[in-house]
Amino acid sequence: MIPRLHERTHAPRDPLAEALGRPVSPHEGLTEHTVVGHWPGLDNYTFDDEQMTWTSVQWAEHLEDPLLEHPFAVSPDDDRRAILHLDVRLHPDDRDLTGPEWAEVAHRLARAAGVQIPGKENGCRWIAVQAQPRRLDLIANLIHLDGAWHAPPPDVLRQLAAEARRIEEDLQLIPVRAAQSAPPTSRPAPTASAQLASVLTQLADEQAGPLATVRGLVEHAAHRIASQPGAASVGTAHRLELIARRLQTIQQDLDATATDLVQPRVAATSSAVQRPIYRTL
């Protein structure tokens, strides 16, 4: 069972259409065999004798309501994209799951993703859709009914992968190979220093870095101007040569700084090297 977390969106219609494998429609009713799980608070929006067969458009509108009711709700980093979408797929050789088993998978993944908190009915609106063979989609709105923004756990994908492994064991499904599972704990996420060092190394890259491109253009301009007659051209070419040398020094300083940020040094893709100032046209 492989969980996949999609990029968040502003509206639920596209994720729901992807989950269904077809466009949402005001004429197509989705029964409990398709919507196999939903947030507990949904029961407060229906009468006891009402049949839960909403159209796909109604389900999309229900998920979208918090966005319309709280137009100023944003994430801590001012992100308005509140629709979370994840899906899981069974191994090709897995047995078919029953409706109750898909419902169990839906609620367990919703808890792992942090969108369902046991005992809290006024949290995130979410639904789980089982419309395509061997696949389950979970779509949630991260805005609570009171307008508060719900932030998923920072390691949500790792938690989903761990829960998927437990579901595989409990339901006796075929486990995913190590190469397809979540990143192993033996390979920790890069630190902030390592990430910054990678950026500096790219800037200093002699082959494809942006400073190398600028430096090449300056050197080319110096060469062209030096071939023009007149003392002014000679002076301008000399100034451009000095600029090119300063850019080369900056490249070398950035490469050295990247080296200092990570110990032991992570192999750089390329480092700035000495080269002639002028290039052959």
Side-chain angles (χ1 to χ4, degrees):
M1 180 176 288
I2 305 174
R4 182 174 59 146
L5 190 63
H6 300 253
E7 185 177 358
R8 295 205 310 270
T9 61
H10 292 92
R13 291 204 177 204
D14 287 345
L16 182 54
E18 182 176 345
L20 294 171
R22 55 189 179 273
V24 298
S25 168
H27 308 296
E28 178 189 15
L30 302 183
T31 68
E32 61 183 4
H33 300 292
T34 301
V35 180
V36 297
H38 55 72
W39 66 298
L42 182 63
D43 295 336
N44 298 329
Y45 286 78
T46 60
F47 297 106
D48 293 337
D49 58 350
E50 181 182 355
Q51 185 178 5
M52 276 303 301
T53 308
W54 291 358
T55 67
S56 54
V57 167
Q58 288 175 314
W59 280 112
E61 291 173 344
H62 181 72
L63 288 172
E64 193 173 20
D65 280 347
L67 278 163
L68 304 177
E69 294 172 3
H70 304 285
F72 302 108
V74 295
S75 70
D77 55 353
D78 293 328
D79 192 345
R80 178 67 175 165
R81 296 173 299 171
I83 303 302
L84 179 142
H85 177 205
L86 65 92
D87 71 73
V88 291
R89 302 163 191 255
L90 298 181
H91 188 282
D93 296 327
D94 264 324
R95 63 180 178 85
D96 292 331
L97 298 185
T98 65
E101 286 176 325
W102 277 122
E104 178 185 348
V105 172
H107 283 274
R108 290 177 65 168
L109 292 177
R111 288 193 294 271
V115 298
Q116 176 177 316
I117 301 175
K120 185 173 183 178
E121 296 185 352
N122 295 326
C124 299
R125 292 187 180 186
W126 64 269
I127 64 172
V129 177
Q130 206 284 298
Q132 301 185 59
R134 322 183 74 76
R135 168 174 171 164
L136 179 79
D137 290 74
L138 189 144
I139 306 168
N141 192 320
L142 298 180
I143 300 176
H144 287 187
L145 299 185
D146 59 3
W149 185 281
H150 175 79
D155 59 343
V156 59
L157 190 56
R158 186 178 296 276
Q159 292 197 31
L160 287 169
E163 186 61 29
R165 301 292 79 75
R166 289 188 286 267
I167 293 173
E168 289 170 350
E169 182 177 356
D170 294 343
L171 298 184
Q172 297 182 345
L173 301 175
I174 299 174
V176 178
R177 294 179 303 173
Q180 295 175 310
S181 61
T185 55
S186 60
R187 183 182 297 176
T191 63
S193 295
Q195 292 175 346
L196 181 56
S198 177
V199 172
L200 297 182
T201 300
Q202 294 176 33
L203 290 174
D205 192 332
E206 185 65 23
Q207 301 301 321
L211 289 179
T213 301
V214 174
R215 179 179 154 203
L217 292 173
V218 172
E219 293 171 352
H220 178 70
H223 180 78
R224 292 292 299 273
I225 292 176
S227 64
Q228 301 295 321
S233 298
V234 174
T236 301
H238 180 66
R239 287 197 298 272
L240 290 175
E241 291 175 21
L242 295 178
I243 292 173
R245 291 194 181 100
R246 287 201 296 271
L247 287 171
Q248 185 182 46
T249 301
I250 291 173
Q251 286 178 272
Q252 295 169 345
D253 288 344
L254 287 173
D255 192 59
T257 302
T259 302
D260 293 339
L261 280 172
V262 286
Q263 295 295 337
R265 179 180 179 178
V266 177
T269 57
S270 177
S271 60
V273 297
Q274 294 286 342
R275 65 175 180 177
I277 289 296
Y278 292 115
R279 291 177 175 173
T280 302
L281 295 178

